[in-house]
Amino acid sequence: MNRGAATLPPRLPSVRTAKCLLQTTSGCQLARAAPNPVRRPALTPVAFDRSFRWSGSPDLWQGRWCSSSAGSSSSSSSGKGGKPGKTEEDVAVTSELADQASAKAETSSTAATEASVESTSATSAEGAEGGAAAGATSDETGGTETLWALPLFRKPTFPGIFHSIQIGDHEIFNFLRELKNSGQGDNLAGFMTKELPKGLEKEDVAEPLATTSQPSSSSSSKADKRALRKDTGFIQGSEELVEVGTLLRVVSLSAHPSSPGGQVMLMPEERIRLVKPVAEPGTGHPLCKVSVEKLAPVVMSPDNQDIRALHHEIIAKMKDLLKTNYLYKDQYEQVVKYYNLDDALKLADLVAGMSSASRDELQAVLIEDDPVERLRKVLMIMIKDLEQAKLQTQFRTQIEDKFQKENRKYMLMQHLRHIKRELNLEKDDKQTVIAQFKEAIEKLDGVPEEATKAMDQELRRLSSLEPQSPEFSVSRTYLEWMTSLPWGKETEDNHDIVRAENVLNEDHYSLEDVKERILEHMAVSMLKGSVQGKIMCLVGPPGVGKTSIGKSIARALDRKFFRFSVGGLHDVAEIRGHRRTYVGAMPGKIIQALKITQVCNPVILIDEIDKLGRDFRGDPSSALLEVLDPSQNSGFRDLYLDAPVDLSKVLFVCTANVTETIPGPLLDRVEVIRLSGYVFEEKVAIANQYLIPQTMETHGIKEENIDLTPAALNELIRDYAREAGVRELRKLLEKIARKVALSLVREDEENRSKTTVTLENLKKFVGQPVHSSDHLFHDGMPPGVVMGLAWTALGGKTLFVEARGHLRNGQRSVLNGGSMNGDFSEEDKQHEDEKKEEKPRAPGSGARLKVTGKLGKVMGESSEIALTYARMFLKELNPGNTFLDEASMHMNMPEGAVPKDGPSAGVTMTSSLLSLALNKPVTPNLAMTGELTLTGKVLRVGGIKEKAIAARRENVGIIVLPLSNQADYMEIKPHLRAGLTAHFVDHFDDVYNLAFEGSGAPAIGKSRGSAVVTVVTSADEAAPVPGLTSWTLTEPPADSPSQQPSL
């Protein structure tokens, strides 16, 4: 019998089934036999790799195995699922098994059959067992053979299974062909390498080449473009080979027609062991020569229950793989039908040869001597293959289902469209679109002539394009934008000025100057019949209601409202649109506002224009110049539309926090309206009239569920929400409302009680106070400390300037009780004793002044001016006092982490230095601001309203301001400056007199400045605050200390 073969079952295969072929991949093939009643040896399947795809079956003729070339994909291969082919295909397959050198020539079916029989005559079991092959030497005493070793890179071979090896190196292939021609290469020793060569796992493994007798031109050209798979190659020596391999009988050699190398068909006979190397690879022989010995066959006990159980389990797994695995379906189908499954070990070799397991797992099966362990390892391999097959089947099913659903939907939509066209229910898409655009253009009114020509031209262009063309979508989108704009559509303005004023008062409390300016603008527009004029720009700190004022303007005028922010904007196209040459181009924000509002006269609020970006990417402020210029925006041309659009009827309103960062040309085109913020009374009124009702409504709280006392509201505003706006106050009220809502939900609806927020439990709802008084010294300010007034983006603030210093010769230390008259305290005397040994500085050597507080450049210069003028002023006042000329001084402005800059602290710094030198404190409850020159003049500063509000908030009764700011101060409403006494000066002499009045400091003569102007605003002029009540109708006790704010 043929080695590695088993007898077929008693049932003969049909002639039709016997015609099936095996397509080989990964170098493995299974031969199929024609029916023969005399002899029926079992078929021998071949191994395969992960890319295997099998659709054939073995062929037998007169008891000889018919070898077939690997990877056949010509007309000789069977159909899908192993269906039988035709008789002509059988002849072609038989010719494939002949020598590949004659495969290109056309031969008859008889000649091909004879060549097949001749090439495979050595495959019989008798020939295999008859003796050693030619070219192998035998050791009579030791039972060893000397063979050429063929290294195997990818996987080992198993006895009884054909194996196709791709040889990409022409030197090895030519060497094997020379051995074959000389009769010395019939047998080889196949050993797998211990390690996979580096880079081999990253290579693109091509499928085995098709080597049919008459390959088609298409398959030949496709094969020529592929690279041969690297199944074998050069090694350095025999030490790279494993110890156990298989004896390989060379069946055929076939050279590749276009690539170097070819393929060799091998039949593994039996397991062998490498004994010793005979010759290492060298010049003339790329393979090594080794001495091998045959391993004794493994003997199985017929009564071993473990072997039986494993054998049956392997057969069961094969049937499972047949059901689930598309990759192994043909192979296992042929095995189950035609292979003798009674021999467990041969079945194990068959399964291992067909498995896609790793090379190490397969080698472990090959070298295993224990039959039970061999079968167990094969079973584990099959279990892994089965799990992988199930996973692949799952993925395949998911993909096929998705594709079928999409394909079915597409086909149904095509049928539906065809039915609608047949019933005249739907016209062609292109003609329908064109008809819709023509109808929309006819309905437009007030379209400029240039825009009409542009739409007509684009419509003609659209009619000449195919719907599948990308230009068709571009033209269609352009016409959609042009026809959707509100050409000539506008809303009728409200001409009732009283109603407009009521709307503004309903939406905002206070802000009388802003409301008056808006009403003036409306009055001019009513008289003129257009809105052309100055563009309003609302400038103020965050949270004062700039955006809401824009909404109120639109509501007062009965116009549509649109808002967009330009903060951080760098792209000019966001204003003027993109050119249509770009992918995804669209108009700018101005045109989008007209499309959304569907009127040509909306109120457009451009927010945050002080935060416009300006860099190499563009300057959007330059694009806004045309938009905000009343003399130019009547013909605004968007880059996308490329047609004039009239923006003269649009009312533009801008907002900003500061004006310093607004570009000059843009600032010149707008009228600045400043919103300075709200004082305490205004915040109380806003909270009662607007914030509290809105918060209750948004949180679902009713009046009977909560009671916020006025004392708690006053504390909330004074110590928690001290910013210029009311945004933080809104957040605090929402925080209280959330806690109240949670307490209500936790209780039953019948047991819910009213939650009262008082001054005592306010911290339970909002935590500890965020702000405290800006006063650093509650018991009176020491010498060297003066209170100034500063402006910030969040409103006004009091700013202290403190100075300390001492003479290096130890005369005295200011702020430690030193005296100008030489009356030293005990601490001063001790300090003087410690400094006696120091070398005194020469008189007139100059003082040292250190300034801290994160000051800017302008404020640093102001400190130098203050020191210079204070020295000159002190010499005029008291020539004997040289403290400012000799002392080491340090001036600081808390808080150190807050950046500070500006010239308005000049008089404050000078007063601080003089207070330090004279060791006299300034008048308490006094704050000042003003820029100082070297000649003592006090110059104008900004932010008077914010500074006055900050002084009133901190209970400062007296403020000193520059004389040139008197008009700014008088513009402040009386109720905002109630309780303040303002002195307006234009020289530092008057500042000195006011600051050191009654302190015992030396007096000066006649002032060198103009007469001081004093404005006293009585506290009685403070306007009553409407709505200064509880959140509910409950009033607090009349003697509550927090009933009225302490101002």
Side-chain angles (χ1 to χ4, degrees):
M1 294 295 290
N2 187 9
R3 183 177 300 273
T7 59
L8 283 170
R11 181 178 61 86
L12 290 175
S14 63
V15 176
R16 182 175 181 84
T17 306
K19 292 178 181 178
C20 297
L21 303 176
L22 169 65
Q23 274 190 348
T24 62
T25 60
S26 307
C28 304
Q29 176 175 345
L30 181 64
R32 146 86 47 105
N36 187 350
V38 179
R39 190 176 182 184
R40 293 170 291 147
L43 51 77
T44 309
V46 273
F48 54 94
D49 62 10
R50 291 184 176 89
S51 63
F52 192 86
R53 187 170 178 268
W54 188 7
S55 60
S57 58
D59 243 332
L60 281 178
W61 182 253
Q62 295 182 356
R64 297 184 180 182
W65 292 102
C66 298
S67 64
S68 175
S69 62
S72 176
S73 59
S74 65
S75 60
S76 64
S77 56
S78 65
K80 296 181 180 180
K83 294 182 180 180
K86 297 181 180 180
T87 307
E88 292 81 5
E89 295 175 347
D90 296 341
V91 178
V93 172
T94 309
S95 65
E96 284 181 338
L97 307 178
D99 185 29
Q100 297 301 324
S102 62
K104 298 180 182 179
E106 254 186 76
T107 60
S108 64
S109 60
T110 305
T113 306
E114 293 175 357
S116 173
V117 173
E118 182 181 355
S119 64
T120 60
S121 59
T123 63
S124 64
E126 295 82 3
E129 297 174 354
T137 60
S138 176
D139 189 348
E140 298 179 357
T141 60
T144 61
E145 296 182 54
T146 302
L147 299 173
W148 294 102
L150 183 67
L152 303 176
F153 289 161
R154 300 186 181 276
K155 60 193 304 184
T157 58
F158 289 87
I161 304 173
F162 277 106
H163 205 82
S164 177
I165 300 296
Q166 303 284 347
I167 304 175
D169 188 271
H170 68 281
E171 185 177 352
I172 296 178
F173 182 80
N174 293 337
F175 178 72
L176 293 178
R177 185 160 56 180
E178 291 175 1
L179 290 177
K180 182 71 174 177
N181 295 337
S182 63
Q184 300 178 3
D186 289 341
N187 282 357
L188 298 173
F191 294 99
M192 193 177 68
T193 57
K194 296 179 181 178
E195 299 291 340
L196 191 66
K198 294 182 179 180
L200 184 61
E201 63 276 1
K202 298 181 181 179
E203 294 181 358
D204 186 14
V205 181
E207 295 181 0
L209 301 175
T211 55
T212 59
S213 59
Q214 294 180 351
S216 62
S217 59
S218 60
S219 62
S220 176
S221 61
K222 184 177 180 180
D224 292 345
K225 296 179 182 178
R226 295 176 178 173
L228 288 174
R229 190 180 63 247
K230 194 173 182 181
D231 292 336
T232 185
F234 290 103
I235 60 174
Q236 299 296 327
S238 59
E239 66 275 0
E240 298 183 16
L241 303 176
V242 297
E243 183 180 359
V244 177
T246 51
L247 179 64
L248 304 176
R249 178 166 50 82
V250 180
V251 178
S252 64
L253 285 166
S254 60
H256 191 264
S258 60
S259 299
Q263 82 172 3
V264 57
M265 183 65 68
L266 303 172
M267 179 61 185
E269 297 288 346
E270 54 189 322
R271 289 172 170 81
I272 58 176
R273 185 187 305 278
L274 192 152
V275 178
K276 62 180 179 179
V278 177
E280 299 294 343
T283 305
H285 54 92
L287 302 180
C288 61
K289 203 168 189 179
V290 296
S291 176
V292 300
E293 64 177 358
K294 297 180 181 179
L295 298 179
V298 178
V299 180
M300 292 187 304
S301 174
D303 300 330
N304 194 322
Q305 297 299 326
D306 293 341
I307 293 178
R308 277 181 151 184
L310 292 171
H311 184 197
H312 293 163
E313 186 66 21
I314 290 175
I315 295 176
K317 294 298 180 185
M318 289 177 61
K319 295 180 180 180
D320 292 339
L321 282 170
L322 179 62
K323 298 176 183 178
T324 59
N325 198 332
Y326 291 93
L327 185 65
Y328 304 144
K329 182 176 181 180
D330 297 328
Q331 295 97 308
Y332 286 113
E333 185 178 9
Q334 299 301 325
V335 169
V336 172
K337 286 183 178 180
Y338 304 114
Y339 202 90
N340 188 353
L341 306 179
D342 296 337
D343 193 328
L345 293 181
K346 291 182 179 180
L347 180 62
D349 289 344
L350 171 67
V351 173
M354 291 190 299
S355 174
S356 59
S358 64
R359 61 199 304 271
D360 295 333
E361 291 177 335
L362 296 177
Q363 181 66 20
V365 174
L366 184 67
I367 65 176
E368 184 58 53
D369 294 335
D370 187 356
V372 177
E373 290 299 324
R374 183 185 296 182
L375 293 176
R376 184 176 284 108
K377 291 180 179 179
V378 171
L379 180 59
M380 293 303 298
I381 290 176
M382 292 193 70
I383 292 175
K384 292 181 180 179
D385 289 346
L386 182 60
E387 293 299 326
Q388 184 179 2
K390 290 180 179 178
L391 189 61
Q392 292 175 352
T393 303
Q394 180 182 355
F395 291 156
R396 180 189 180 102
T397 304
Q398 292 176 355
I399 294 174
E400 288 180 351
D401 292 346
K402 182 178 180 181
F403 174 77
Q404 289 176 359
K405 290 180 181 179
E406 294 178 355
N407 188 44
R408 182 173 180 271
K409 182 179 179 180
Y410 174 78
M411 295 300 297
L412 291 176
M413 291 299 296
Q414 293 297 324
H415 286 306
L416 180 62
R417 182 174 297 178
H418 179 73
I419 293 172
K420 287 184 177 180
R421 290 180 181 177
E422 290 294 331
L423 297 176
N424 293 326
L425 298 177
E426 181 181 285
K427 298 180 180 179
D428 184 66
D429 291 342
K430 178 179 176 181
Q431 298 301 327
T432 303
V433 170
I434 294 175
Q436 290 175 352
F437 282 134
K438 287 183 178 179
E439 183 180 357
I441 292 174
E442 292 176 357
K443 294 181 179 179
L444 296 178
D445 188 17
V447 184
E449 183 179 358
E450 186 176 350
T452 303
K453 291 181 179 179
M455 286 188 286
D456 293 339
Q457 180 181 359
E458 201 67 28
L459 196 60
R460 290 193 298 269
R461 182 169 178 264
L462 186 69
S463 61
S464 63
L465 296 173
E466 293 296 329
Q468 294 80 13
S469 173
E471 294 296 325
F472 185 87
S473 300
V474 174
S475 299
R476 180 175 180 174
T477 306
Y478 176 78
L479 288 173
E480 287 175 351
W481 274 101
M482 292 292 287
T483 55
S484 62
L485 290 180
W487 303 99
K489 296 181 182 179
E490 59 182 63
T491 56
E492 185 178 355
D493 289 347
N494 172 35
H495 296 290
D496 188 353
I497 198 70
V498 178
R499 176 174 173 272
E501 186 175 4
N502 293 334
V503 170
L504 294 176
N505 290 330
E506 290 175 2
D507 294 344
H508 293 84
Y509 178 80
S510 185
L511 304 177
E512 284 78 9
D513 49 350
V514 179
K515 295 177 183 177
E516 185 178 358
R517 178 63 189 87
I518 294 172
L519 294 175
E520 291 172 357
H521 179 85
M522 294 173 60
V524 173
S525 300
M526 293 175 186
L527 295 176
K528 190 177 179 181
S530 66
V531 296
Q532 288 186 351
K534 282 289 185 179
I535 308 298
M536 291 183 291
C537 181
L538 305 176
V539 179
V544 296
K546 300 184 293 295
T547 304
S548 60
I549 288 176
K551 294 180 181 179
S552 298
I553 294 174
R555 182 164 166 257
L557 292 174
D558 287 340
R559 291 195 180 191
K560 298 291 185 65
F561 177 76
F562 182 84
R563 171 197 171 273
F564 71 95
S565 176
V566 295
L569 188 67
H570 293 84
D571 192 359
V572 180
E574 292 291 333
I575 305 297
R576 305 196 62 179
H578 304 79
R579 299 185 184 276
R580 280 190 289 164
T581 54
Y582 296 102
V583 177
M586 61 186 305
K589 289 292 186 181
I590 306 299
I591 301 300
Q592 294 179 33
L594 298 180
K595 179 184 177 182
I596 294 174
T597 58
Q598 282 298 303
V599 290
C600 62
N601 63 338
V603 176
I604 298 180
L605 179 70
I606 305 177
D607 212 355
E608 309 291 351
I609 65 169
D610 58 329
K611 300 176 181 62
L612 277 170
R614 185 177 183 179
D615 55 12
F616 65 93
R617 290 172 287 183
D619 183 11
S621 62
S622 60
L624 286 176
L625 295 178
E626 179 184 2
V627 175
L628 300 181
D629 194 340
S631 62
Q632 299 181 22
N633 60 11
S634 59
F636 174 73
R637 188 178 292 271
D638 189 272
L639 295 180
Y640 181 84
L641 301 180
D642 198 19
V645 179
D646 186 10
L647 301 180
S648 60
K649 298 180 181 180
V650 179
L651 177 58
F652 290 98
V653 180
C654 305
T655 67
N657 294 126
V658 293
T659 58
E660 286 75 11
T661 55
I662 302 177
L666 183 60
L667 185 62
D668 184 61
R669 283 168 169 77
V670 299
E671 179 181 0
V672 176
I673 301 177
R674 296 190 178 274
L675 287 78
S676 301
Y678 304 104
V679 294
F680 174 83
E681 293 84 359
E682 292 175 336
K683 287 185 178 182
V684 172
I686 292 172
N688 283 280
Q689 294 183 16
Y690 303 99
L691 300 183
I692 292 177
Q694 293 174 5
T695 304
M696 293 174 61
E697 181 180 358
T698 55
H699 290 76
I701 299 176
K702 300 179 181 180
E703 292 186 0
E704 58 268 16
N705 299 133
I706 187 173
D707 178 16
L708 179 63
T709 62
L713 180 61
N714 296 346
E715 181 73 12
L716 198 67
I717 296 173
R718 188 165 35 245
D719 293 343
Y720 292 86
R722 198 179 289 182
E723 78 284 353
V726 293
R727 187 169 295 163
E728 186 65 26
L729 179 59
R730 179 190 292 273
K731 293 179 181 179
L732 293 170
L733 293 174
E734 291 175 351
K735 188 175 182 180
I736 295 174
R738 288 194 299 268
K739 292 184 178 298
V740 172
L742 179 60
S743 63
L744 293 175
V745 172
R746 286 177 174 174
E747 298 177 357
D748 296 334
E749 189 171 356
E750 297 80 6
N751 300 328
R752 289 177 182 175
S753 59
K754 178 182 292 187
T755 302
T756 303
V757 182
T758 62
L759 188 62
E760 290 75 17
N761 63 357
L762 181 63
K763 295 180 182 179
K764 176 183 176 182
F765 292 91
V766 294
Q768 296 295 327
V770 179
H771 302 283
S772 59
S773 176
D774 287 342
H775 275 294
L776 295 181
F777 306 95
H778 298 279
D779 298 333
M781 293 182 294
V785 178
V786 180
M787 183 190 302
L789 297 174
W791 176 92
T792 66
L794 299 178
K797 182 178 178 61
T798 57
L799 181 67
F800 284 87
V801 178
E802 54 183 11
R804 298 194 66 179
H806 67 275
L807 296 173
R808 297 188 62 86
N809 58 10
Q811 289 183 0
R812 68 182 181 89
S813 175
V814 181
L815 295 185
N816 287 328
S819 172
M820 288 291 295
N821 301 323
D823 299 331
F824 303 125
S825 62
E826 295 295 333
E827 185 178 354
D828 292 332
K829 294 179 179 180
Q830 182 179 0
H831 182 72
E832 182 181 0
D833 295 337
E834 294 175 355
K835 295 294 183 178
K836 284 183 178 180
E837 298 181 359
E838 293 185 7
K839 184 177 181 181
R841 297 175 61 190
S845 60
R848 292 185 298 178
L849 177 63
K850 181 179 180 180
V851 182
T852 57
K854 203 173 184 180
L855 309 182
K857 182 178 180 181
V858 177
M859 189 167 283
E861 294 175 352
S862 297
S863 66
E864 297 177 1
I865 295 174
L867 179 61
T868 302
Y869 183 78
R871 285 173 177 172
M872 295 186 298
F873 187 85
L874 187 59
K875 286 183 179 180
E876 296 176 359
L877 184 65
N878 187 2
N881 190 336
T882 60
F883 180 81
L884 297 179
D885 296 324
E886 306 295 337
S888 296
M889 294 170 289
H890 186 175
M891 183 184 296
N892 179 55
M893 295 184 184
E895 302 163 348
V898 179
K900 310 171 189 68
D901 202 3
S904 61
V907 294
T908 311
M909 291 180 176
T910 306
S911 301
S912 176
L913 291 175
L914 290 175
S915 175
L916 176 67
L918 296 174
N919 198 23
K920 299 293 182 181
V922 299
T923 302
N925 198 26
L926 178 142
M928 61 183 68
T929 182
E931 181 180 358
L932 183 67
T933 66
L934 285 175
T935 57
K937 299 294 291 182
V938 180
L939 304 183
R940 177 188 179 92
V941 294
I944 295 299
K945 182 178 179 181
E946 289 84 355
K947 295 176 180 179
I949 293 174
R952 186 166 177 262
R953 182 180 65 236
E954 295 299 327
N955 297 328
V956 176
I958 304 173
I959 56 176
V960 180
L961 304 175
L963 184 62
S964 53
N965 286 116
Q966 181 180 357
D968 299 328
Y969 182 79
M970 298 306 297
E971 289 181 359
I972 304 175
K973 300 298 180 180
H975 71 275
L976 296 179
R977 49 186 171 89
L980 290 178
T981 299
H983 300 283
F984 298 93
V985 299
D986 67 344
H987 198 275
F988 186 77
D989 291 349
D990 300 316
V991 176
Y992 175 81
N993 290 332
L994 293 171
F996 293 96
E997 183 179 3
S999 64
I1004 61 174
K1006 184 179 179 180
S1007 173
R1008 287 165 284 189
S1010 303
V1012 177
V1013 178
T1014 302
V1015 177
V1016 180
T1017 305
S1018 174
D1020 298 334
E1021 296 188 17
V1025 179
L1028 188 58
T1029 61
S1030 164
W1031 206 336
T1032 64
L1033 298 179
T1034 304
E1035 293 289 346
D1039 56 350
S1040 175
S1042 299
Q1043 176 68 24
Q1044 297 294 334
S1046 57
L1047 301 176

